[in-house]
Amino acid sequence: MVGGGFAGLQVTRDLRKVDVSVTLLDRRNFHLFQPLLYQVATGELSPANIATPLRGILRKQKNARVVLEEVTSISLDSNEVYTTDSVIAFDYLVVATGAIHHYFGREEWRPLAPGLKTIENATEIRRQILGAFEAAERSNDPDEIHDLLTFVIVGGGPTGCELAGALAEISRHTLQNDFRSIQPADARIVLVESGDAPLDVYPEPLPQRAAHDLEKLGVEIQTQCRVVEIEPTHVMIRNKTTEEVSRLNTRTVLWAAGVKASPLGAILCEAAGIESDRGGRVPVSPDLSIPGHDTVFVCGDLAQVKMEDGGEVPGLAPAAMQMGAQAAKCIRADLRSKPRPEFRYRDKGSLAVIGRCTAVGQIGSYKAKGFVAWFIWLFIHLMYITLFRNRLLVLMQWGWTFVTHDRSARLITDGANTDISTMEQATGWNADPAMPSTRHLESTSQTGAGGSD
Amino acid sequence: MVGGGFAGLQVTRDLRKVDVSVTLLDRRNFHLFQPLLYQVATGELSPANIATPLRGILRKQKNARVVLEEVTSISLDSNEVYTTDSVIAFDYLVVATGAIHHYFGREEWRPLAPGLKTIENATEIRRQILGAFEAAERSNDPDEIHDLLTFVIVGGGPTGCELAGALAEISRHTLQNDFRSIQPADARIVLVESGDAPLDVYPEPLPQRAAHDLEKLGVEIQTQCRVVEIEPTHVMIRNKTTEEVSRLNTRTVLWAAGVKASPLGAILCEAAGIESDRGGRVPVSPDLSIPGHDTVFVCGDLAQVKMEDGGEVPGLAPAAMQMGAQAAKCIRADLRSKPRPEFRYRDKGSLAVIGRCTAVGQIGSYKAKGFVAWFIWLFIHLMYITLFRNRLLVLMQWGWTFVTHDRSARLITDGANTDISTMEQATGWNADPAMPSTRHLESTSQTGAGGSD
C-alpha cells in the first residue's frame, strides 16, 4: 500500500485476516481526517484531534508493517517500489496517494494563496488569519486595517464554503471582545466562485440555500468570477459575464479552487504506458487495477473511475474507503482463485457545513439543508473519526465551541514547512527552489506537492 | 507589562479593578503553561491544551490591551518601550520575559541539543524522538539502530527527570507493539547529571528516591558527569571524579541543563546602570523594582530576588505569580499614596513527576514521594491550568493515557522554527545565520533566544 489515507488504510485493515504481509508506505506517521482540516485552520480543533498515528491504528494487525518513506518511483516490470531509502518488492500494489492543490499552471500563486490539504497547511492558514487580525490591531492606518481585515477565498466548493463560514463565525463571534482598537466583525470575507452559486455540484435549491446562509453570516459571494492575479497586497478578479476586471485589496488569500492528483499518478501512467486524465489521475479498469497490470490498484483521489451513468466517482472520503475495500476484495478473490468483483460506487451523499447549525447536502435523493443537514453532518463525522478517544475529545470541543463561541486552539505557532522543503530537497523531491520570496512565503506550504498525504 | 507568562499575566489580572490602562506586550499570542511542556514533547498533550490565547484570557478585562510585538529596547530616562513596530510610553513598567536555555558559552550546541522552553521546542523534540524510532525501524544496521535508540538527556533537574521518565514510558509501553523490526523497549535512556543524584535541589532521601524510581523505569543515570562535546553522532562525557572522558553514540540529545535570563535582562541592567547576575538576571530592590527606578518592576525568572535567609527565590511558576501579584500591589499602593509592601516569597513547595504514579517533591517541610507526590502534582497542575475547558481536556487525556498507555498526540509534524529565524532576522533579532547546518538542524529551535516567551 502506498498512502495512509482513507483508501490505503481501508485496504490494509480489510486484509487483516488474510495470509499476506502488508507494508503501508507513507511520508507521514499519521492518518489525517481531512474533512475536518478546516476546523484546525480556524482554531476549533487541535492537529492531534484529527491526525491519528498509523502505527497506533495498526498496532494489533500483526501482518501489517508501517514504513515512513517517500515513494519516488515505481517499476511495473520488476514489481518494485523505489523510495528515498530503499527498494521494496511487491506481489500486489495499491497506490492511494490522493490529491494536491492545483493552481492551474500558476505555481507562483502557491505561496501567496495556501490551500488546505495537510496539517501544516492548516496551522499556516490559522497563523495567517490570526496574524491578519493582530496586524490590524497594531496598525493606525485605516486603509491598511481594511486590507488586513479582507479575506479572499478562491473557490466555492465544500472546502471554500466551510472556510468562509468558519471565518465569518470567528470574526463575528469568537474574536468579538478580543481586540481594543479594531472590530473583528468588520472583517470582509469574500468568496470568489466561477459558477453561478457556491456548492453548484448539488442540485437546486441547495446552492441557493448555501448562498443565502453564507450571506446571512456576512460572507460576500462573487459569482461568475475568476481570480486572474494574486499579489501580496491584492487580487484581480475578472467577472465572466461583464468581462470587467476589478482589484480587491487583501493580505490573506486562501485557495480552495482546484485539486489534481499527486505526482505519483503521472509516474504510474508513464510506467503503465497509459495516459492520465486532465487532473493527473490514473484511469483504471472496472476492478480498479491499472489496465494491463492487474496486480496494481489505484484508489482514492488518485483514481479516475467512470460510473455506469457516464459520470465519475467523486473525490470524497467514503468513495476512497469503498475503493480501498474493493482492492482488498480483489486480492482476496485472487488468493482463493475466484473471479474479481467489479467496483460499484455506492453514493452515500455528501454534506458541507456552512456555519453554526446550518449545512447543505444530498443523501441519496434527499436534499438536506439547515439544521437537519448540520446535525447529520455532525453525527457522521463523529462516527468516522478514527479513534474513540479523539471522538470524545472532538465532541467535547464542538460542544464547548457551540455553547461559548470560543475556539481555544487559536494559536499562532510556527507550523512552517520551510523544513519540509529542506526535507524534500534532501530527499530529491521536487521542491521548487526558485519560488519567489514574498510576504508570507517563509512559511507557506508546499507540502501538498508531496507524495502521499 | 512585557511578557505574558505567569508573572505578566498575574500583574495584568490583579490590576483589573484599578483605574489604569494596562498594555500586555508579548511576541506570542498565547500564555504557555510551561510546567506541562514536557508532555507535549512526549506526545501526551496537544499544544493547544497548555497554550491559552492571551486575548481570550483578558477578553473581559476592559482596561487591558494585548499587543503582539517584540521589545527591542527600553529607555528608563524617557519611560518608553521600543518594539519592532512602535514606541510605547509608560508610567509603570513590569518586565517579565522569563528565561531561555543556556549552553554555557557553547552556542553551537543549541541546534544539536534542543531545550524545552517553547511550543516549537516541544514539537521539535517530539519530532526528534519519534523520528529516531522511525529511522531505527527502517535501518538494517545494528550499530545504527543502537545509536538511534540511544537518547541522552543533559541535566538531572525537574525537566530532565520528567523528560527521562516520559521517554522511558514511551519506549516501554506506548510504542510497545507499534514496530515490527525493532523493540522500542530496547531504547537506552541516559540521564547525565553533574551532581551526585538527580533532583539534588531536594533534601535526602528525595534525590535517592528519584534515582531509584528512574532506574526502575529503565533510565540509566550517570552522576558526577558533564557533557563536554556534542556532535550529530555522539556526545563526549567527562566523569568529574575519575576525569575520564568517554564517548556515547547517540542521535538524540535533549538539553535540560541550564537557563539564563532573557536578553531583556541585560538591556534593562545597562539602561539602569546596574550589573546583572551570572545568569543574566536583574537584581531588584525588596519591592521588586529596579534600584533607582521605582516605577520599573522585574518579575519571574528574569528577576534575581534575595531571600532573608540569603538564598534566592527559585525560578518556578508559583514564585513568578507571587512576584506579579507583588508588582500589582505596589502599583495599587502608589495610586493610593500608601507605602509599598516588601516582597516575601511563600515557598509552596515543588514537585517533579518521574513516571506513572511516582513523583518526588517538597511541600513545606513535608517530603512527598511516590504515589502521594504524584497525586498532589496531578491535582495542583490541573487546578492551575488556565481555562476550565483545557482543564477538562487535559484530565481526559491523562486519564486515557493512564489507562491505556496510549499517547495520541505523537505526530511528527513540521513544527519548525526556520521561519522564526526568518522572523527574527526580519525584526533584527539576533538569529545566528552562521549556525552550522547538520542533521537535525533544519528544524532545531532557536526560539528560546527570543524576547518574551
Side-chain angles (χ1 to χ4, degrees), chain B residues 78-143:
Chain B
S78 61
N79 279 7
E80 282 172 332
V81 171
Y82 301 92
T83 73
T84 42
D85 288 348
S86 60
V87 180
I88 299 169
F90 62 83
D91 297 314
Y92 284 94
L93 176 68
V94 181
V95 184
T97 50
I100 59 174
H101 282 289
H102 187 28
Y103 288 84
F104 307 116
R106 302 294 296 260
E107 278 304 307
E108 69 273 22
W109 290 356
R110 192 180 288 277
L112 299 172
L116 189 60
K117 275 281 169 194
T118 67
I119 285 284
E120 286 78 14
N121 288 164
T123 48
E124 164 59 18
I125 288 179
R126 181 175 78 184
R127 190 172 125 94
Q128 283 199 16
I129 293 171
L130 297 173
F133 282 105
E134 292 295 341
E137 170 87 351
R138 280 200 300 270
S139 174
N140 295 315
D141 175 353
D143 287 339

Coordinates of all heavy atoms in Angstrom, one line a residue, chain B residues 78-143:
Chain B
S78 N 13.3 58.2 29.3 CA 12.1 58.8 28.7 C 10.9 57.9 29.0 O 9.8 58.2 28.6 CB 12.3 58.9 27.2 OG 12.5 57.7 26.7
N79 N 11.0 56.9 29.8 CA 9.9 55.9 30.1 C 9.2 55.5 28.9 O 8.0 55.6 28.7 CB 8.9 56.6 31.1 CG 9.4 56.5 32.5 OD1 10.5 56.1 32.8 ND2 8.5 56.9 33.4
E80 N 10.0 54.8 28.0 CA 9.5 54.3 26.7 C 10.0 52.9 26.5 O 11.1 52.6 26.8 CB 9.8 55.2 25.6 CG 9.0 56.5 25.5 CD 9.6 57.5 24.4 OE1 10.8 57.4 24.2 OE2 8.8 58.3 23.9
V81 N 9.1 52.1 25.9 CA 9.5 50.8 25.4 C 9.5 50.8 23.9 O 8.6 51.3 23.3 CB 8.4 49.7 25.9 CG1 8.7 48.4 25.3 CG2 8.4 49.6 27.4
Y82 N 10.6 50.3 23.3 CA 10.7 50.3 21.9 C 10.4 48.9 21.4 O 11.0 47.9 21.9 CB 12.1 50.7 21.5 CG 12.4 52.1 21.9 CD1 13.1 52.3 23.1 CD2 12.0 53.2 21.2 CE1 13.3 53.6 23.6 CE2 12.3 54.5 21.6 CZ 12.9 54.7 22.8 OH 13.2 56.0 23.3
T83 N 9.5 48.8 20.5 CA 9.3 47.4 19.9 C 9.7 47.5 18.4 O 10.1 48.5 17.9 CB 7.8 47.0 20.0 OG1 7.1 47.8 19.0 CG2 7.3 47.3 21.4
T84 N 9.6 46.4 17.8 CA 9.9 46.3 16.4 C 9.1 47.2 15.5 O 9.5 47.7 14.5 CB 9.7 44.9 15.9 OG1 8.5 44.4 16.4 CG2 10.9 44.0 16.3
D85 N 7.9 47.5 16.0 CA 6.9 48.3 15.2 C 6.6 49.7 15.8 O 6.1 50.6 15.1 CB 5.6 47.6 15.1 CG 5.6 46.4 14.2 OD1 6.7 46.3 13.5 OD2 4.7 45.6 14.2
S86 N 6.8 49.9 17.1 CA 6.3 51.2 17.6 C 7.1 51.5 18.9 O 7.9 50.8 19.4 CB 4.8 51.0 17.9 OG 4.6 50.0 18.8
V87 N 6.7 52.7 19.5 CA 7.2 53.1 20.7 C 6.1 53.3 21.7 O 5.0 53.9 21.3 CB 7.9 54.5 20.6 CG1 8.5 55.0 21.9 CG2 9.0 54.4 19.5
I88 N 6.2 52.7 22.9 CA 5.1 52.8 23.8 C 5.5 53.4 25.1 O 6.5 53.0 25.7 CB 4.5 51.3 24.1 CG1 4.0 50.7 22.8 CG2 3.4 51.4 25.2 CD1 3.7 49.2 22.9
A89 N 4.9 54.5 25.4 CA 5.2 55.3 26.7 C 4.6 54.6 27.9 O 3.5 54.0 27.7 CB 4.8 56.7 26.6
F90 N 5.2 54.7 29.0 CA 4.6 54.0 30.2 C 4.8 54.9 31.4 O 5.7 55.7 31.5 CB 5.2 52.6 30.5 CG 6.7 52.7 30.8 CD1 7.2 52.9 32.0 CD2 7.6 52.4 29.7 CE1 8.6 52.9 32.3 CE2 9.0 52.4 30.0 CZ 9.5 52.7 31.3
D91 N 3.8 54.7 32.4 CA 4.0 55.3 33.7 C 4.7 54.2 34.6 O 5.6 54.5 35.3 CB 2.7 55.7 34.3 CG 2.0 56.8 33.5 OD1 2.8 57.8 33.1 OD2 0.8 56.7 33.1
Y92 N 4.1 53.0 34.5 CA 4.8 51.9 35.2 C 5.1 50.8 34.2 O 4.4 50.6 33.2 CB 3.8 51.3 36.2 CG 3.6 52.1 37.5 CD1 2.6 53.0 37.6 CD2 4.5 51.9 38.5 CE1 2.4 53.8 38.7 CE2 4.4 52.7 39.7 CZ 3.3 53.6 39.8 OH 3.2 54.3 40.9
L93 N 6.2 50.1 34.5 CA 6.6 49.0 33.6 C 6.9 47.8 34.4 O 7.6 47.9 35.4 CB 7.9 49.5 32.8 CG 8.5 48.4 31.9 CD1 7.6 48.1 30.7 CD2 9.8 48.9 31.3
V94 N 6.4 46.7 34.0 CA 6.7 45.4 34.6 C 7.4 44.5 33.5 O 6.7 44.3 32.5 CB 5.5 44.7 35.2 CG1 5.9 43.4 35.8 CG2 4.8 45.6 36.2
V95 N 8.6 44.1 33.7 CA 9.3 43.3 32.7 C 9.3 41.9 33.3 O 9.9 41.6 34.4 CB 10.7 43.8 32.4 CG1 11.3 43.0 31.3 CG2 10.6 45.3 32.0
A96 N 8.8 40.9 32.5 CA 8.7 39.5 33.0 C 8.9 38.6 31.8 O 7.9 37.9 31.4 CB 7.4 39.3 33.8
T97 N 10.0 38.6 31.2 CA 10.2 37.9 29.9 C 10.9 36.5 30.1 O 11.2 35.9 29.2 CB 11.0 38.7 28.9 OG1 12.2 39.2 29.5 CG2 10.2 39.9 28.4
G98 N 11.1 36.2 31.4 CA 11.5 34.8 31.7 C 12.9 34.4 31.3 O 13.8 35.3 31.2
A99 N 13.1 33.1 31.1 CA 14.4 32.6 30.9 C 14.5 31.9 29.6 O 13.5 31.4 29.0 CB 14.8 31.7 32.1
I100 N 15.7 31.7 29.1 CA 15.9 30.9 27.9 C 17.0 29.9 28.2 O 17.6 29.9 29.3 CB 16.4 31.8 26.7 CG1 17.7 32.5 27.1 CG2 15.3 32.8 26.3 CD1 18.3 33.3 26.0
H101 N 17.3 29.0 27.3 CA 18.3 28.0 27.6 C 19.7 28.6 27.5 O 20.0 29.5 26.8 CB 18.2 26.8 26.6 CG 17.1 26.0 27.0 ND1 17.1 25.2 28.2 CD2 15.8 25.8 26.6 CE1 16.0 24.6 28.3 NE2 15.2 24.9 27.4
H102 N 20.5 28.0 28.3 CA 21.9 28.5 28.5 C 22.8 27.3 28.1 O 22.7 26.2 28.7 CB 22.1 28.9 29.9 CG 23.4 29.6 30.1 ND1 24.1 30.3 29.1 CD2 24.2 29.7 31.2 CE1 25.2 30.8 29.6 NE2 25.3 30.4 30.9
Y103 N 23.7 27.5 27.2 CA 24.6 26.4 26.7 C 26.0 26.7 27.2 O 26.9 26.2 26.6 CB 24.5 26.3 25.2 CG 23.2 25.6 24.8 CD1 22.0 26.4 24.6 CD2 23.1 24.3 24.6 CE1 20.8 25.9 24.2 CE2 21.8 23.7 24.2 CZ 20.7 24.5 24.0 OH 19.6 23.9 23.7
F104 N 26.1 27.4 28.3 CA 27.4 27.7 28.9 C 28.5 28.1 27.9 O 29.6 27.6 27.8 CB 27.9 26.4 29.6 CG 26.9 25.9 30.6 CD1 26.3 24.7 30.5 CD2 26.5 26.7 31.7 CE1 25.4 24.2 31.4 CE2 25.5 26.2 32.6 CZ 25.0 25.0 32.4
G105 N 28.1 29.0 27.0 CA 29.0 29.5 26.0 C 29.2 28.6 24.8 O 29.9 29.0 23.9
R106 N 28.5 27.5 24.8 CA 28.6 26.6 23.6 C 27.4 26.7 22.8 O 26.6 25.8 22.6 CB 28.8 25.2 24.1 CG 30.0 24.9 25.0 CD 31.3 25.2 24.3 NE 31.5 24.3 23.2 CZ 32.3 23.2 23.3 NH1 33.0 22.9 24.4 NH2 32.4 22.4 22.3
E107 N 27.2 27.9 22.2 CA 26.0 28.2 21.4 C 25.9 27.2 20.2 O 24.8 26.9 19.7 CB 26.0 29.6 20.8 CG 25.5 30.7 21.8 CD 24.1 30.4 22.3 OE1 23.2 30.2 21.5 OE2 24.0 30.4 23.6
E108 N 27.0 26.6 19.8 CA 26.9 25.6 18.7 C 26.2 24.4 19.1 O 25.8 23.6 18.2 CB 28.3 25.3 18.2 CG 29.2 24.5 19.1 CD 30.0 25.3 20.1 OE1 29.5 26.5 20.4 OE2 31.0 24.9 20.6
W109 N 25.9 24.2 20.4 CA 25.2 23.0 20.8 C 23.7 23.2 20.7 O 22.9 22.2 20.7 CB 25.5 22.7 22.3 CG 26.9 22.2 22.5 CD1 27.8 21.9 21.6 CD2 27.5 21.9 23.8 NE1 29.0 21.4 22.2 CE2 28.8 21.4 23.5 CE3 27.1 22.0 25.1 CZ2 29.7 21.1 24.6 CZ3 27.9 21.6 26.1 CH2 29.2 21.2 25.8
R110 N 23.3 24.5 20.6 CA 21.8 24.7 20.6 C 21.1 23.9 19.5 O 20.1 23.3 19.8 CB 21.6 26.2 20.4 CG 20.2 26.7 20.7 CD 20.0 28.2 20.5 NE 20.7 29.0 21.5 CZ 20.1 29.3 22.7 NH1 18.9 28.8 23.0 NH2 20.7 30.0 23.6
P111 N 21.6 23.9 18.3 CA 20.8 23.1 17.3 C 20.9 21.6 17.5 O 20.1 20.9 17.0 CB 21.5 23.6 15.9 CG 22.8 24.1 16.3 CD 22.6 24.7 17.7
L112 N 22.0 21.2 18.2 CA 22.2 19.7 18.3 C 21.4 19.2 19.5 O 21.1 18.0 19.6 CB 23.7 19.4 18.4 CG 24.5 19.8 17.3 CD1 26.0 19.7 17.6 CD2 24.2 19.0 16.0
A113 N 21.2 20.0 20.5 CA 20.6 19.5 21.7 C 19.5 20.5 22.1 O 19.7 21.4 23.0 CB 21.6 19.4 22.8
P114 N 18.3 20.4 21.5 CA 17.3 21.4 21.8 C 16.8 21.3 23.3 O 16.7 20.3 23.9 CB 16.1 21.0 20.9 CG 16.4 19.6 20.5 CD 17.8 19.4 20.6
G115 N 16.5 22.5 23.8 CA 15.9 22.6 25.2 C 14.4 22.6 25.1 O 13.9 22.4 24.0
L116 N 13.8 22.9 26.2 CA 12.4 22.8 26.2 C 11.8 24.0 26.9 O 11.5 24.1 28.1 CB 12.0 21.5 27.0 CG 10.5 21.1 27.0 CD1 10.0 20.8 25.6 CD2 10.3 19.9 27.9
K117 N 11.6 25.1 26.1 CA 11.0 26.3 26.6 C 9.8 26.8 25.9 O 9.0 27.5 26.4 CB 12.1 27.4 26.6 CG 13.0 27.4 27.8 CD 12.4 28.0 29.0 CE 13.2 27.8 30.3 NZ 12.5 28.1 31.5
T118 N 9.7 26.4 24.6 CA 8.5 26.9 23.8 C 7.8 25.7 23.2 O 8.2 24.6 23.1 CB 9.1 27.8 22.7 OG1 9.8 27.0 21.8 CG2 9.9 28.9 23.2
I119 N 6.6 26.1 22.7 CA 5.8 25.1 21.9 C 6.6 24.5 20.8 O 6.5 23.3 20.5 CB 4.5 25.8 21.4 CG1 3.5 26.0 22.6 CG2 3.8 25.0 20.3 CD1 2.8 24.8 23.0
E120 N 7.3 25.4 20.1 CA 8.1 24.9 19.0 C 9.2 23.9 19.4 O 9.5 22.9 18.8 CB 8.7 26.0 18.2 CG 7.7 26.8 17.3 CD 6.8 27.7 18.2 OE1 7.2 28.0 19.3 OE2 5.8 28.2 17.6
N121 N 9.9 24.2 20.6 CA 10.8 23.3 21.1 C 10.1 21.9 21.4 O 10.7 20.9 21.0 CB 11.3 23.8 22.5 CG 12.2 25.0 22.5 OD1 12.4 25.6 23.5 ND2 12.8 25.3 21.3
A122 N 9.0 22.0 21.9 CA 8.3 20.7 22.3 C 7.9 19.9 21.1 O 8.2 18.7 21.1 CB 7.0 21.0 23.1
T123 N 7.4 20.5 20.0 CA 7.0 19.7 18.9 C 8.3 19.3 18.1 O 8.3 18.2 17.5 CB 6.1 20.5 17.9 OG1 6.6 21.8 17.6 CG2 4.7 20.7 18.5
E124 N 9.4 20.1 18.2 CA 10.6 19.7 17.6 C 11.2 18.4 18.4 O 11.6 17.5 17.7 CB 11.6 20.8 17.6 CG 13.1 20.4 17.4 CD 13.3 19.8 16.0 OE1 12.4 19.9 15.2 OE2 14.3 19.1 15.9
I125 N 11.1 18.5 19.7 CA 11.6 17.3 20.5 C 10.8 16.1 20.2 O 11.3 15.0 20.0 CB 11.7 17.7 22.0 CG1 12.8 18.7 22.2 CG2 11.8 16.4 22.8 CD1 13.0 19.1 23.7
R126 N 9.5 16.3 20.1 CA 8.6 15.2 19.8 C 9.0 14.6 18.4 O 9.0 13.4 18.3 CB 7.2 15.7 19.8 CG 6.1 14.7 19.5 CD 4.7 15.4 19.6 NE 4.4 16.2 18.4 CZ 3.3 16.9 18.3 NH1 2.4 17.0 19.3 NH2 3.1 17.6 17.2
R127 N 9.2 15.5 17.5 CA 9.6 15.0 16.2 C 10.9 14.3 16.2 O 11.1 13.2 15.5 CB 9.8 16.3 15.3 CG 10.0 16.2 13.9 CD 9.9 17.6 13.3 NE 11.1 17.9 12.5 CZ 11.2 17.7 11.2 NH1 10.1 17.2 10.6 NH2 12.3 17.9 10.6
Q128 N 11.9 14.7 17.0 CA 13.2 14.0 17.0 C 13.1 12.7 17.6 O 13.6 11.7 17.2 CB 14.2 14.9 17.8 CG 14.8 16.0 17.0 CD 16.1 16.6 17.6 OE1 16.7 15.9 18.4 NE2 16.5 17.7 17.2
I129 N 12.3 12.6 18.7 CA 12.2 11.3 19.5 C 11.5 10.3 18.6 O 12.0 9.2 18.3 CB 11.4 11.5 20.8 CG1 12.2 12.4 21.7 CG2 11.0 10.2 21.4 CD1 11.4 12.8 23.0
L130 N 10.3 10.7 18.0 CA 9.6 9.7 17.2 C 10.3 9.4 15.9 O 10.3 8.3 15.4 CB 8.2 10.3 16.9 CG 7.3 10.5 18.1 CD1 6.0 11.3 17.7 CD2 6.9 9.2 18.7
G131 N 11.0 10.5 15.4 CA 11.8 10.3 14.2 C 12.9 9.3 14.4 O 13.3 8.5 13.5
A132 N 13.5 9.3 15.6 CA 14.6 8.3 15.8 C 14.1 6.9 15.8 O 14.7 6.0 15.3 CB 15.2 8.6 17.2
F133 N 12.9 6.7 16.4 CA 12.3 5.3 16.4 C 12.0 4.9 15.0 O 12.2 3.8 14.5 CB 11.0 5.3 17.2 CG 11.3 5.2 18.7 CD1 11.1 6.3 19.5 CD2 11.7 4.0 19.3 CE1 11.3 6.2 20.9 CE2 11.9 3.9 20.7 CZ 11.7 5.0 21.5
E134 N 11.5 5.8 14.2 CA 11.1 5.5 12.8 C 12.4 5.2 12.0 O 12.4 4.2 11.2 CB 10.4 6.7 12.1 CG 9.1 7.1 12.7 CD 8.0 5.9 12.4 OE1 8.3 5.1 11.5 OE2 7.0 5.9 13.1
A135 N 13.4 6.0 12.2 CA 14.7 5.7 11.4 C 15.3 4.4 11.8 O 15.8 3.6 11.0 CB 15.7 6.8 11.7
A136 N 15.1 4.0 13.1 CA 15.6 2.7 13.6 C 14.9 1.6 13.0 O 15.4 0.6 12.5 CB 15.6 2.7 15.1
E137 N 13.5 1.8 12.8 CA 12.7 0.7 12.2 C 13.1 0.5 10.8 O 13.1 -0.6 10.2 CB 11.2 1.1 12.3 CG 10.3 0.3 11.5 CD 9.7 -0.9 12.2 OE1 10.2 -1.2 13.3 OE2 8.8 -1.6 11.7
R138 N 13.5 1.6 10.1 CA 13.9 1.5 8.7 C 15.3 0.9 8.5 O 15.6 0.4 7.4 CB 13.9 2.9 8.0 CG 12.6 3.4 7.6 CD 12.7 4.5 6.6 NE 13.5 5.7 7.1 CZ 13.0 6.7 7.7 NH1 11.7 6.7 8.0 NH2 13.7 7.7 8.1
S139 N 16.1 1.0 9.5 CA 17.5 0.7 9.3 C 17.8 -0.8 9.4 O 17.1 -1.6 10.1 CB 18.4 1.4 10.4 OG 19.7 1.0 10.4
N140 N 18.8 -1.3 8.7 CA 19.2 -2.7 8.8 C 20.5 -2.8 9.6 O 21.0 -4.0 9.8 CB 19.4 -3.3 7.4 CG 18.1 -3.3 6.7 OD1 17.0 -3.7 7.3 ND2 18.1 -2.9 5.5
D141 N 21.2 -1.7 9.9 CA 22.5 -1.7 10.5 C 22.3 -1.7 12.1 O 21.9 -0.8 12.6 CB 23.2 -0.5 10.0 CG 24.6 -0.3 10.7 OD1 24.9 -1.1 11.6 OD2 25.3 0.6 10.3
P142 N 22.7 -2.8 12.7 CA 22.5 -2.9 14.2 C 23.2 -1.8 14.9 O 22.6 -1.3 15.9 CB 23.2 -4.3 14.5 CG 23.3 -5.0 13.3 CD 23.4 -4.0 12.1
D143 N 24.4 -1.3 14.5 CA 25.0 -0.2 15.2 C 24.2 1.1 15.1 O 24.0 1.8 16.0 CB 26.4 0.0 14.6 CG 27.4 -1.1 15.0 OD1 27.1 -1.8 16.0 OD2 28.4 -1.3 14.3

